[in-house]
Amino acid sequence: MNARPIIIDTDPGQDDAIAILTALASPELDVLGITCVAGNVPLALTVKNARMLCELAGKPDQPVYVGCSRPMVRTLVTAEHVHGKTGLDGPELPEPTMALADEHAVDFIVDTLRNHPEPVTLCPVGPLTNIAMAIVKDPSIVENIREIVLMGGAWKEGGNITPAAEFNIYVDPHAAHTVFTCGAPIVAHSLDVTHLALMTDEWIESIRALGTAVGVASAEMLAFYERFDEEKYGSNGGPLHDPNVIAYLLEPELYSGKHVAVTIETGSEQTMGQTTVDWWNVTDVEANCLWISGVDADGFYRVLSERLGRYPLT
Ligand code: BDR
Ligand code: CA
């Protein structure tokens, strides 16, 4: 079976990091490029973090692209309160030395979708600016998108950056609107599902116990990252949002959901970036999205453990 071609669009972020490390350990996936966007921290840091992660994974030749430094319309909002000043607080990782790809991320997405011989899956796990800009630059690329499997949105769970909105959609709601109306098949992993699969301290320690550079760095990242959600929600363990996108590609049977019409709020400051989900089909608007609402949490963490466990002792 041919590896499935994907592009990971990301703003690392500790949970982005686990998504990237999981994908890079999965031969079923051909990571054509990692495209960086401003989100959790400013662009210069998300680019640096992506390169550090590729080097940690032993993949310094993985192409990494610099994308958009701000949302399409609004001012950038970042999340250092969650991810720390660097975006990847926790481990001490060496300064990256690998080269960056020359092309801009938006041009890379456009060129890849124009030219790749088979449809490409887009995996956005940050604000949707790069993906929307690519669609605006050349709307015909939508024809060669197999699926957009994204992390973003919140409906039943409520928001995490405002009472109404999830961070990735809130940061660039105009980009999210562009993506959700583009016509490509969309699979949305929102807070509704990521909050059903919480990390435990035991799981983090099992990753540390792998004893590899990847295992130890991942555990250090996750221990830092988890403390924010534990304090916020009073739970024993926080959600690990972005890796759900990769786990879905590897084992879609772990997930369940419903095809629904999703719209993005761009008009009201109070509910900016809210994903309105027509769960009961009260509008007759055509479904544009598979809204994931169920997950086998044990299966999700099994997939991550198994993939992170593939990295060698160094
Ligand atoms: C999303 O926001 C970011 O902070 C995380 O990396 C994730 O992509 C969760 O709301
Ligand atoms: Ca992210």
Side-chain angles (χ1 to χ4, degrees), residues 77-92:
V77 173
T78 53
E80 287 86 354
H81 60 292
V82 181
H83 300 274
K85 205 166 179 308
T86 66
L88 216 50
D89 277 22
E92 288 288 325

Side-chain angles (χ1 to χ4, degrees), residues 10-11 15-16 40 125-126 168 242:
T10 178
D11 61 339
D15 60 327
D16 304 70
N40 288 322
V125 291
N168 290 340
D242 295 343

Side-chain angles (χ1 to χ4, degrees), residues 188-226:
H189 291 261
S190 73
L191 301 184
D192 292 2
V193 65
T194 66
H195 279 246
L196 297 177
L198 303 185
M199 278 181 286
T200 61
D201 293 343
E202 294 71 34
W203 183 75
I204 294 176
E205 289 316 309
S206 74
I207 297 301
R208 191 190 307 277
L210 292 169
T212 57
V214 166
V216 173
S218 298
E220 287 174 353
M221 279 179 223
L222 294 174
F224 176 89
Y225 175 63
E226 190 189 44

Side-chain angles (χ1 to χ4, degrees), residues 110-230:
V110 169
D111 290 345
T112 304
L113 287 167
R114 276 183 187 159
N115 298 318
H116 202 278
E118 59 181 295
V120 174
T121 299
L122 302 182
C123 302
V125 291
L128 288 159
T129 320
N130 287 338
I131 308 294
M133 291 290 281
I135 292 167
V136 169
K137 184 167 184 191
D138 182 358
S140 77
I141 61 172
V142 169
E143 288 160 27
N144 208 25
I145 298 176
R146 174 167 162 183
E147 274 181 314
I148 302 175
V149 183
L150 61 87
M151 192 282 134
W155 182 235
K156 296 179 180 167
E157 177 64 31
N160 62 354
I161 186 75
T162 71
E166 180 278 329
F167 179 79
N168 290 340
I169 305 295
Y170 177 78
V171 171
D172 199 340
H174 301 92
H177 169 78
T178 304
V179 170
F180 274 81
T181 55
C182 79
I186 295 177
V187 180
H189 291 261
S190 73
L191 301 184
D192 292 2
V193 65
T194 66
H195 279 246
L196 297 177
L198 303 185
M199 278 181 286
T200 61
D201 293 343
E202 294 71 34
W203 183 75
I204 294 176
E205 289 316 309
S206 74
I207 297 301
R208 191 190 307 277
L210 292 169
T212 57
V214 166
V216 173
S218 298
E220 287 174 353
M221 279 179 223
L222 294 174
F224 176 89
Y225 175 63
E226 190 189 44
R227 103 245 166 262
F228 174 79
D229 282 328
E230 283 188 334

